[in-house]
């Protein structure tokens, strides 16, 4: 007897976005600085704050 419900493979997790994950461990003092920076901006996640800070610093760096 054939299955009444076909066995469909489901994709798990977030879809690929063409980026590389980076694990960063911060000491409490640096985490406090990051959280203070976030508090002075519009609400955002810590990873988003790290991306924005990186872009700000990269734009200011001499080429």
């Amino acid at each position: 007897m054939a299955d009444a419900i076909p066995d469909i493979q489901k994709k798990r997790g977030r879809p690929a976005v063409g980026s590389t994950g980076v694990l960063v461990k911060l000491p409490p003092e640096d985490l406090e600085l990051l959280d203070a920076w976030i508090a002075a901006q519009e609400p955002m996640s810590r990873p988003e704050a790290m991306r924005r800070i990186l872009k700000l610093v990269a734009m200011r760096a001499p080429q």
Side-chain angles (χ1 to χ4, degrees):
M1 180 174 177
D3 290 338
I5 300 173
D7 193 22
I8 299 172
Q9 286 285 53
K10 294 183 180 180
K11 293 182 180 181
R12 303 285 183 203
R14 294 187 65 187
V17 293
S19 61
T20 301
V22 177
L23 173 65
V24 178
K25 293 187 178 188
L26 297 175
E29 302 83 30
D30 291 346
L31 196 55
E32 288 177 16
L33 288 171
L34 179 62
D35 289 340
W37 189 86
I38 293 169
Q41 310 297 314
E42 62 187 50
M44 67 185 84
S45 65
R46 286 176 174 165
E48 178 61 24
M50 295 292 289
R51 286 188 288 270
R52 289 186 186 191
I53 292 169
L54 178 62
K55 286 179 183 177
L56 288 170
V57 170
M59 287 190 301
R60 281 195 251 160
Q63 300 296 331

